[in-house]
């Protein structure tokens, strides 16, 4: 523990710092939480110059009026002054009690702050203000004498930087704050500004004034969806309207923010207006809760305006009132009053007259024309207006419908007294939610999965649906116009738009501390949990836990679900879970996950679920357990051929292990883990990362001088080099590794090293050496003591040897031997049933059929392998199988299909980093392109492939490219004939040396034909 002032070490029980004498501040960890808030920073410009020559008391007196104005402005709009800075202050809006209007409130407070300081009449007192919305850690700091609410995090620094660059009496705002307050406040974009501590220019906005738009109009301006459903609620409103013809009816639409109260109320009010009803509409403002009669003033202004539009225009509805009542309403409307009788009234009497006058106006209007009074957001009504609205809602007059909206926490006590019908608003049903999404995204079936995810994520709350879609569009994940949007990239998480974080946080703030702790445990467990599990982790008495669960279910935060498991619980929607989880500081999260981990480890249900155990161990920062469970989860994924998931778990295990203390056993585990992980990286086509595993393992093995593990690491590197590097490099490394492996006496790594070397020889076009090397590895793997490296079954390596040896014999024209090897590979695949083995067998079977001149049979085999490789994410095989499938189509004369498949194969090979597959698919793609009439493009492709193959040492592919050039080059001119003859002779030379007899025979036949005909190729 350290002193906050001088950072000297302080004993936990000390009240004072022994070095500097400062009072020791004790941070209260249980109250710490993450919040999404708006931060206001303000200070007096050049305060040092103002007080430099003054004594301390005079200096305080000089600045205190400005500081008092700042404090009052912050408090007027619900902010908390978190810190005073001598010549300014820092304030926070949206904490400790969440408020979804924190950004507009902060902006209005800043406007009021500047106005108040200017009204002091002291030209030397000029202020500047900075505002930013972002995540902070909020907590109580306790000293011996007081407690202070403080915030921490990078967000406060941006607010401070904006304050520092702001001009005199100006308010600078970040883009995050502007996005949240736009419409409520008017802004001017100042472009990007360089701020200290930020590498890139930061977008900055300046507040130019408050907006007179109502909250409903601001929301409506942002809305991009049409009104859907609400059949039940509209029926209730229709019934109330019918009853209002006989006597006044009051209806309250009750629901949480975003549920659609305002939309329904306005849609219904406009319907009544078209049917001849007069509409008086107003709303309560969060900015004006402390302003007496602010809501009533809006009602009266709307009533006067509605009366002015009445046919025949009977005039101002206030003119027929008694003089004292006219004065009362003039006071509300801020009209000058010259009535001694009004001046003599006591405050209580004035309030009574204002109420009577307001009721008289509404009664008069309803008597002339059916009238609907729509008042929104009753939870923000000021106290003075609340009394008057209660009286209006209790009037006994016909043709008056009082339509109110409120959140559950703001329902006034007088609702029951006025016999109001309360309509509890529910989320949309799934059909209506999908209808809303179709209206915004379009009706394309391509978005069907996304729509279902959004429905699940938002639980059909209309505002949440709209804001999630808006966020996806603004991020570029969805492109197009509203009503016709296309998903252009995968989505891992839908996230929570900043515009609704406060809405959800405000709901969470309404629950008790115990209920919040239960929610936090449930959030750590995931979208679903069980009462039995919560009981073990929450550490609450049984009665308390049951009470919490009942309250949370009633609040529709954590609800019971119909399930075979009677105690199943789930979050009403994923956003509630995310906000709950994100609100916890790291220490609280770690503690909860550690408790979850302990319970899971002792429960047989979870003991065999390494996925869940790894997840909670990592979040509990128990790195040793995270390593073990991550490794187990990766192994489990490999068994079920989930290669991408296996990669993720292996990475988690590697990262976790590296966070444990450095020891030799840790390093040996780290090396072995990378060797084991190689298969997941190989099969999922992560070639560069596969090589990196070998490099990392080699480096660690060198550091601990472990020769055996160095051999393993180099073997892995050599295998990756066959795909990612050049054949020359691969052969050199492969030969070195085979020698080291034989010296080390480890037969498993020797067999794999020999297989890798045979593959390197094959890619280099050294087919005879490849065949001999594969034969040695195969003989070792077929013996009684067959061995392969850990994580690799011997039969898997044997299958690969048979596959590659079959390729080699096919290229050399030894088809009977190739077929025997293919049968062995297919038998192993049938025995193991593993997807990877089946794809490998299909690949070699297709290659053999192409060698036998049966492209239709080859296509049939390769199509099955291609589908299987894609289904199981075996990316390493996808480009290779696709390439040969394209060749099969080409040889059947299906040129369009061939071109499409070969182009796909080339792109996939490039993305994986599979160099030889890029070249092979390019060569065949050129032949397909030539058949479709573009000889020049084919020539260019083949020339590029030939040069690349020659430079990098792929001599077999160089020969194929040369032969392709001879095929596609038109022999019409003498210079072309020379090119063709040269290409054929070069291909023959390479094929003759390498032993590629089929290619040699085709090239020789074409060359002999040309020479015999003189100038015509055959």
């Amino acid at each position: 523990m350290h002193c906050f002032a001088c950072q000297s070490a302080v004993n936990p029980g000390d009240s004072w710092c022994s070095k500097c004498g400062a009072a020791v501040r004790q941070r209260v960890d249980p109250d710490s939480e993450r919040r999404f808030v708006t931060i206001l920073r303000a200070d007096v410009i050049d305060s040092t110059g103002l007080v430099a020559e003054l004594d301390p008391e005079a200096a305080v007196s000089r600045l205190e009026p400005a500081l008092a104005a700042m404090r009052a402005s912050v408090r007027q709009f619900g902010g908390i002054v978190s810190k005073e800075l001598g010549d300014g202050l820092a304030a926070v809006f949206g904490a400790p009690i969440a408020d979804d209007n924190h950004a507009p409130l902060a902006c209005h407070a800043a406007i009021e702050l500047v106005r108040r300081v200017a009204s002091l009449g002291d030209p030397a007192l000029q202020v500047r203000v900075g505002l930013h919305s972002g995540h902070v850690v909020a907590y109580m700091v306790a000293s011996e004498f007081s407690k202070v609410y403080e915030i921490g995090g990078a967000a406060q620094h941006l607010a401070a930087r904006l304050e520092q660059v702001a001009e005199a009496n100006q308010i600078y705002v970040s883009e995050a704050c502007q996005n949240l307050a736009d419409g409520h406040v008017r802004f001017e974009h100042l472009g990007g500004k360089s701020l200290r501590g930020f590498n890139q220019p930061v977008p900055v906005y300046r507040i130019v004034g408050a907006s007179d738009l109502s909250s409903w109009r601001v929301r409506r301006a942002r809305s991009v969806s049409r009104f859907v459903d609400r059949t039940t609620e509209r029926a209730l409103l229709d019934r109330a309207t019918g009853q209002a013809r006989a006597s006044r009816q009051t209806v309250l639409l009750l629901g949480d923010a975003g549920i659609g109260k305002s939309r329904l109320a306005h849609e219904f009010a406009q319907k009544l207006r078209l049917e001849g009803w007069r509409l008086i509409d107003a709303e309560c403002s969060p900015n004006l809760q402390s302003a007496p009669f602010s809501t009533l003033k809006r009602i009266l202004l709307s009533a006067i305006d509605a009366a002015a539009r009445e046919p025949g225009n009977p005039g101002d509805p206030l003119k027929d009132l008694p003089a004292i009542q006219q004065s009362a309403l003039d006071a509300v409307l801020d009209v000058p009053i010259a009535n001694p009788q009004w001046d003599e009234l006591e405050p209580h009497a004035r309030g009574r007259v204002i109420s009577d006058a307001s009721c008289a106006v509404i009664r008069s209007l309803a008597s002339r024309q059916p009238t609907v009074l729509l008042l929104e957001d009753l939870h923000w009504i000021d106290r003075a207006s609340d009394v008057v609205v209660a009286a209006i809602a209790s009037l006994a007059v016909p043709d008056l419908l009082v339509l109110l909206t409120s959140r559950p926490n703001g329902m006034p006590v007088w609702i029951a007294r006025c016999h109001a019908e309360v309509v509890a608003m529910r989320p949309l049903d799934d059909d209506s939610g999908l209808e809303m999404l179709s209206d915004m995204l379009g009706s394309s079936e391509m978005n069907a999965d996304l729509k279902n995810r959004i429905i699940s994520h938002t639980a059909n709350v209309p505002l949440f649906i709209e804001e999630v879609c808006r966020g996806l569009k603004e991020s570029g994940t969805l492109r197009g116009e509203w009503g016709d949007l296309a998903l252009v990239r995968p989505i891992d998480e839908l996230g929570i738009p900043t515009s609704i974080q406060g809405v959800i946080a405000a709901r969470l703030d309404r629950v008790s501390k115990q209920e919040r702790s239960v929610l936090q445990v449930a959030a750590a467990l995931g979208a679903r949990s069980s009462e039995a599990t919560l009981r073990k982790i929450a550490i609450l008495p049984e009665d308390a836990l049951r009470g919490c669960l009942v309250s949370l279910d009633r609040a529709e935060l954590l609800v019971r679900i119909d399930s075979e498991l009677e105690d199943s619980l789930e979050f009403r929607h994923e956003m509630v879970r995310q906000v709950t989880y994100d609100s916890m500081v790291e220490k609280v999260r770690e503690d909860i996950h550690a408790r979850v981990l302990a319970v899971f480890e002792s429960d047989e249900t979870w003991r065999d679920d390494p996925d869940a155990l790894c997840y909670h161990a990592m979040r509990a920062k128990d790195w040793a357990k995270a390593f073990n469970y991550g490794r187990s989860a990766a192994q489990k994924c490999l068994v079920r051929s989930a290669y991408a998931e296996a990669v993720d778990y292996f990475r988690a295990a590697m990262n976790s292990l590296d966070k444990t203390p450095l020891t030799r056993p840790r390093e040996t585990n780290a090396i072995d883990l990378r060797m084991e992980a190689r298969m997941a990286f190989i099969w999922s086509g992560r070639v560069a990362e596969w090589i990196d595993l070998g490099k990392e393992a080699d480096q660690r093995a060198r550091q601990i001088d472990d020769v055996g593990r160095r051999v393993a690491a180099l073997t892995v590197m050599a295998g990756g080099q066959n795909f990612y590097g050049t054949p020359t490099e691969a052969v050199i490394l492969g030969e070195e590794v085979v020698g080291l492996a034989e010296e080390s006496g480890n037969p498993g790594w020797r067999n794999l090293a020999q297989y890798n070397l045979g593959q390197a020889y094959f890619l280099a076009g050294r087919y005879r050496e490849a065949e001999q090397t594969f034969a040695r590895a195969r003989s070792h793997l077929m013996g009684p003591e067959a061995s392969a490296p850990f994580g690799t079954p011997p039969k898997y390596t044997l299958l690969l040897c048979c596959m590659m040896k079959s390729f080699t014999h096919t290229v050399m024209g030894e088809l009977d031997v190739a077929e025997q090897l293919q049968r062995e590979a297919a038998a192993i695949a049938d025995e193991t049933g593993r997807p990877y083995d089946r794809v490998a067998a299909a690949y070699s079977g297709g290659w053999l059929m192409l060698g036998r001149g049966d492209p239709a049979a080859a296509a049939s085999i390769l199509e099955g392998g291609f589908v299987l490789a894609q289904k199981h994410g075996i990316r390493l095989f996808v480009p290779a199988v696709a390439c040969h499938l394209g060749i099969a189509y080409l040889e059947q004369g299906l040129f369009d299909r061939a071109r499409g498949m070969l182009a796909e194969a080339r792109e996939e090979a490039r993305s994986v980093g599979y160099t030889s597959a890029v070249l092979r698919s390019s060569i065949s793609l050129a032949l397909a392109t030539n058949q479709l009439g573009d000889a020049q493009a084919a020539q260019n492709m083949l020339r590029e492939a030939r040069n690349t193959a020659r430079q990098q040492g792929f001599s077999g592919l160089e020969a194929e490219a040369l032969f392709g050039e001879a095929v596609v080059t038109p022999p019409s001119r003498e210079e072309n004939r020379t090119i063709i003859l040269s290409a054929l002779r070069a291909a023959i030379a390479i094929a003759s040396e390498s032993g590629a007899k089929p290619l040699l025979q085709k090239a020789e036949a074409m060359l002999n034909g040309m020479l015999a005909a003189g100038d015509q190729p055959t």
Side-chain angles (χ1 to χ4, degrees):
M1 181 175 175
H2 295 82
C3 171
F4 79 97
C6 68
Q7 297 301 306
S8 300
V10 177
N11 294 323
D14 291 348
S15 298
W16 306 92
C17 175
S18 60
K19 297 292 185 183
C20 69
V24 174
R25 295 182 179 182
Q26 302 283 346
R27 179 165 163 175
V28 187
D29 280 323
D31 293 331
S32 300
E33 57 185 342
R34 290 168 57 90
R35 291 276 185 174
F36 187 74
V37 300
T38 297
I39 301 165
L40 179 150
R41 291 288 297 257
D43 73 341
V44 176
I45 296 175
D46 192 26
S47 60
T48 303
L50 290 176
V51 301
E53 304 299 326
L54 302 179
D55 65 50
E57 290 184 22
V60 171
S61 299
R62 184 78 179 86
L63 297 177
E64 179 56 28
L67 292 172
M70 293 180 189
R71 293 187 210 105
S73 302
V74 167
R75 289 166 184 158
Q76 178 181 336
F77 290 91
I80 299 290
V81 176
S82 62
K83 188 177 293 185
E84 293 205 11
L85 308 168
D87 62 349
L89 55 77
V92 59
F93 294 78
I97 303 300
D99 191 322
D100 49 303
N101 284 282
H102 56 85
L105 287 169
C107 291
H108 282 286
I111 294 170
E112 179 66 11
L113 186 155
V114 173
R115 187 197 68 78
R116 287 196 184 207
V117 173
S119 70
L120 296 174
D122 186 344
L125 289 177
Q126 295 186 318
V127 293
R128 55 190 178 185
V129 185
L131 295 172
H132 172 56
S133 300
H135 285 97
V136 299
V137 174
Y139 51 90
M140 296 298 297
V141 173
S143 69
E144 185 175 353
F145 304 108
S146 65
K147 287 185 177 181
V148 180
Y149 190 72
E150 290 197 357
I151 54 175
Q156 63 177 335
H157 299 299
L158 179 51
R161 297 293 177 266
L162 290 168
E163 170 210 348
Q164 290 163 6
V165 300
E167 298 175 2
N169 298 324
Q170 298 296 319
I171 305 161
Y172 281 10
V173 174
S174 71
E175 189 170 41
C177 182
Q178 185 270 340
N179 285 337
L180 292 173
D182 194 25
H184 300 277
V185 179
R186 291 180 287 112
F187 296 94
E188 175 190 358
H189 187 212
L190 302 180
K193 286 188 176 293
S194 298
L195 304 180
R196 183 162 59 88
F198 292 84
N199 295 328
Q200 299 294 327
V202 176
V204 176
Y205 294 80
R206 181 172 67 88
I207 292 180
V208 297
S211 169
D212 58 357
L213 289 176
S214 68
S215 296
W216 159 250
R217 289 188 174 88
V218 171
R219 292 194 298 271
R220 192 71 187 92
R222 281 177 56 85
S223 179
V224 292
S225 62
R226 61 183 175 84
F227 183 65
V228 296
D229 190 42
R230 299 301 186 189
T231 305
T232 302
E233 292 90 341
R234 281 185 291 166
L236 292 171
L237 291 174
D238 282 331
R239 186 183 67 185
T241 302
Q243 295 171 345
R245 303 311 299 260
S247 176
R248 180 271 316 155
Q249 291 293 310
T250 298
V251 180
L252 173 66
L253 299 178
L254 189 70
D256 286 306
I259 205 71
K261 303 181 297 295
S262 294
R263 187 67 178 270
L264 172 60
H266 278 273
E267 293 284 346
F268 188 75
Q270 291 303 320
K271 168 181 172 289
L272 292 184
R273 194 173 184 180
L274 293 174
E275 294 174 359
W277 287 62
R278 175 191 286 110
L279 172 61
I280 301 171
D281 65 321
E283 65 174 22
C284 310
S285 170
N287 304 330
L288 301 173
Q289 292 181 78
S290 60
F293 295 115
S294 57
T295 297
L296 180 58
K297 180 179 179 180
R298 294 184 175 200
I299 293 173
L300 293 174
L301 289 173
S302 179
I304 293 169
D305 181 61
R309 294 196 300 270
E310 186 177 329
N313 191 6
D316 187 348
L318 278 60
K319 69 180 182 180
D320 296 330
L321 297 175
I324 189 65
Q325 290 189 351
Q326 288 189 34
S327 297
L329 298 188
D330 285 343
V332 173
L333 297 171
D334 298 322
V335 176
I337 302 171
N339 186 337
Q341 185 183 359
W342 172 257
D343 295 335
E344 294 172 1
L345 291 178
E346 295 292 331
H348 180 73
R350 287 185 177 186
R352 188 62 174 267
V353 176
I354 289 172
S355 180
D356 291 344
S358 301
C359 288
V361 169
I362 299 301
R363 185 185 293 110
S364 172
L365 292 174
S367 68
R368 299 202 298 259
Q369 181 182 353
T371 299
V372 55
L373 169 59
L374 169 57
L375 179 60
E376 292 188 78
D377 298 329
L378 209 56
H379 46 278
W380 285 325
I381 194 168
D382 61 276
R383 289 186 181 181
S385 298
D386 186 62
V387 175
V388 181
V389 172
I392 294 173
S394 300
L395 285 173
V397 296
D399 286 334
L400 175 62
L401 175 65
V402 180
L403 183 55
L404 310 169
T405 72
S406 176
R407 296 180 186 177
N409 62 315
M411 186 172 73
V413 295
W414 48 261
I415 284 294
R417 293 200 307 268
C418 71
H419 304 292
E421 180 168 3
V422 179
V423 178
M425 296 284 289
R426 306 283 301 169
L428 300 172
D429 57 42
D430 284 354
D431 289 341
S432 299
L434 290 171
E435 183 182 348
M436 184 177 175
L437 282 168
S438 293
D439 193 53
M440 288 188 291
L441 306 185
S443 57
S444 171
E445 286 299 316
M446 299 292 289
N447 289 332
D449 180 60
L450 173 61
K451 291 174 184 175
N452 289 327
R453 286 184 63 187
I454 293 174
I455 291 293
S456 175
H457 188 63
T458 62
N460 281 321
V461 176
L463 176 66
F464 297 176
I465 290 175
E466 189 163 297
E467 289 301 310
V468 166
C469 291
R470 183 186 302 281
L472 294 174
K473 186 174 186 293
E474 290 176 351
S475 69
T477 302
L478 287 171
R479 289 186 186 168
E481 300 299 325
W482 290 113
D484 184 22
L485 290 169
L487 189 65
V488 296
R489 60 172 179 260
I491 303 173
D492 292 327
E493 291 187 359
L494 291 172
I496 306 173
T498 57
S499 55
I500 56 179
Q501 289 203 22
V503 173
I504 298 173
R507 288 187 64 191
L508 297 178
D509 277 351
R510 298 204 294 267
V511 306
S512 70
K513 194 169 184 178
Q514 274 192 342
E515 291 162 2
R516 185 71 168 259
S517 71
V518 172
L519 267 184
Q520 289 173 341
V521 171
L525 286 168
R528 286 194 176 187
S529 54
S530 71
E531 186 174 333
T533 304
L534 279 174
R535 183 176 294 109
K536 294 176 182 177
I537 301 166
I539 319 178
L540 285 175
E542 181 65 21
D543 291 346
L545 177 63
R546 287 189 176 277
C548 288
L549 292 176
V550 169
S551 297
L552 293 172
D553 184 71
R554 190 182 301 122
E556 294 192 329
L557 294 173
L558 187 67
V559 300
R560 296 186 182 278
I561 56 175
D562 295 329
S563 170
E564 294 178 1
L565 301 173
E566 294 182 0
D567 65 346
S568 291
L569 305 164
E570 74 174 7
F571 281 89
R572 185 68 181 83
H573 51 76
E574 174 61 15
M575 288 185 172
V576 170
R577 191 197 71 80
Q578 284 189 21
V579 172
T580 302
Y581 190 82
D582 291 345
S583 70
M584 292 186 281
V585 293
E586 196 66 30
K587 184 176 179 181
V588 174
R589 289 185 198 172
E590 289 174 25
D591 176 65
I592 291 176
H593 283 293
R595 282 151 49 195
V596 173
L597 181 61
V599 168
F600 279 15
E601 287 177 324
S602 64
D603 190 327
E604 291 184 4
T605 305
W606 296 99
R607 203 176 296 153
D608 295 328
D609 188 353
D611 308 53
L613 294 170
C614 175
Y615 172 84
H616 292 291
M618 288 186 67
R619 278 150 187 78
K621 295 186 178 178
D622 190 333
W623 303 121
K625 288 183 178 179
F627 157 64
N628 287 320
Y629 291 133
R631 188 178 204 169
S632 297
Q635 293 167 343
K636 183 178 174 182
C637 290
L638 286 178
V639 168
R640 65 173 192 264
S641 301
Y643 305 123
E645 290 86 347
V647 165
D648 292 338
Y649 280 117
F650 273 125
R651 282 179 175 149
M654 291 176 203
N655 293 334
S656 298
L657 181 60
D658 285 347
K659 291 175 182 175
T660 61
L662 177 60
T663 61
R664 183 180 179 88
R666 187 198 85 167
E667 289 303 282
T668 58
N669 277 330
I671 296 167
D672 293 346
L673 183 62
R674 282 160 175 76
M675 297 301 92
E676 186 177 1
R678 75 189 187 279
M679 303 311 301
F681 284 84
I682 291 170
W683 294 338
S684 56
R686 291 170 168 85
V687 178
E689 296 165 86
W690 166 16
I691 295 174
D692 288 340
L693 290 177
K695 289 179 179 178
E696 291 171 17
D698 180 49
Q699 183 179 13
R700 289 175 185 251
R702 286 174 184 270
Q703 290 173 347
I704 63 173
D705 194 25
D706 191 321
V707 176
R709 287 183 169 84
R710 271 212 70 207
V711 169
L714 290 170
T715 304
V716 170
M717 289 172 60
Q721 200 71 35
N722 287 334
F723 295 87
Y724 205 64
T726 67
T728 303
E729 295 169 329
V731 166
I732 292 171
L733 180 59
E735 290 174 341
E736 177 187 355
V737 173
V738 167
L740 289 171
E742 288 175 343
E743 290 176 12
S744 72
N746 186 318
W749 288 110
R750 177 205 62 202
N751 294 340
L752 183 58
Q754 287 178 335
Y755 166 76
N756 289 338
L757 178 58
Q759 191 174 39
Y761 284 144
F762 179 86
L763 294 171
R766 296 162 63 174
Y767 300 125
R768 295 185 180 89
E769 291 166 281
E771 187 278 322
Q772 293 166 4
T773 307
F774 287 134
R776 284 195 294 273
R778 177 169 168 266
S779 66
H780 290 138
L781 289 163
M782 292 181 70
E785 298 181 358
S787 178
F790 61 88
T792 309
K795 284 196 173 180
Y796 162 75
T797 310
L798 175 60
L799 183 150
L800 293 182
C801 279
C802 292
M803 176 191 75
M804 286 302 305
K805 198 166 186 296
S806 176
F807 290 166
T808 308
H809 286 289
T810 300
V811 170
M812 296 171 68
E814 299 164 354
L815 299 180
D816 290 341
V817 180
E819 185 168 349
Q820 178 58 41
L821 291 161
Q822 164 55 24
R823 288 200 193 102
E824 289 183 27
I828 294 171
D830 288 342
E831 179 185 343
T832 66
R834 295 192 312 172
Y836 192 93
D837 296 350
R838 290 164 60 198
V839 173
Y843 181 30
S844 61
W847 197 323
L848 175 64
M849 288 300 102
L850 287 172
R852 287 201 176 280
D854 191 346
S860 177
I861 296 170
L862 292 166
E863 282 169 352
F866 183 65
V867 170
L868 200 60
Q870 288 191 312
K871 177 182 177 181
H872 291 278
I874 310 172
R875 286 194 69 200
L876 191 67
F877 265 127
V878 169
V881 175
C883 174
H884 283 76
L885 181 55
I887 294 172
Y889 292 149
L890 176 65
E891 294 187 5
Q892 291 179 81
L894 305 172
F895 303 127
D896 279 322
R897 289 180 68 182
R899 181 169 61 179
M901 182 58 68
L902 289 164
E904 180 181 342
R906 185 171 65 172
E907 290 309 307
E908 183 67 14
R910 283 173 174 164
S911 68
V912 170
Y914 196 160
T915 310
S916 63
V918 173
L919 289 172
R920 192 177 298 280
S921 55
S922 295
I923 293 167
S924 298
L925 179 60
L927 297 176
T929 302
N930 179 65
Q931 290 289 348
L932 291 168
D934 193 344
Q936 186 59 55
Q939 285 179 279
N940 293 338
M941 257 189 282
L942 285 162
R943 193 175 298 116
E944 181 182 351
R946 179 244 300 163
N947 290 334
T948 301
R950 179 177 298 165
Q951 291 165 5
Q952 297 189 359
F954 292 93
S955 65
L957 291 172
E958 180 188 355
E960 292 184 26
L962 285 164
F963 181 72
E965 279 189 86
V967 170
V968 304
T969 302
S972 53
R973 292 183 302 177
E974 184 61 29
E975 60 184 279
N976 282 2
R977 186 172 184 276
T978 302
I979 292 171
I980 294 170
L981 293 173
S982 176
L984 289 171
R985 288 176 176 131
I988 289 169
I990 296 171
S992 177
E993 183 179 353
S994 66
K997 292 181 181 177
L999 177 60
L1000 174 65
Q1001 291 167 356
K1002 286 192 291 184
E1004 286 180 338
M1006 185 174 179
L1007 176 63
N1008 293 334
M1010 280 196 70
L1011 294 174
D1015 61 355
Q1016 293 295 325
T1018 58

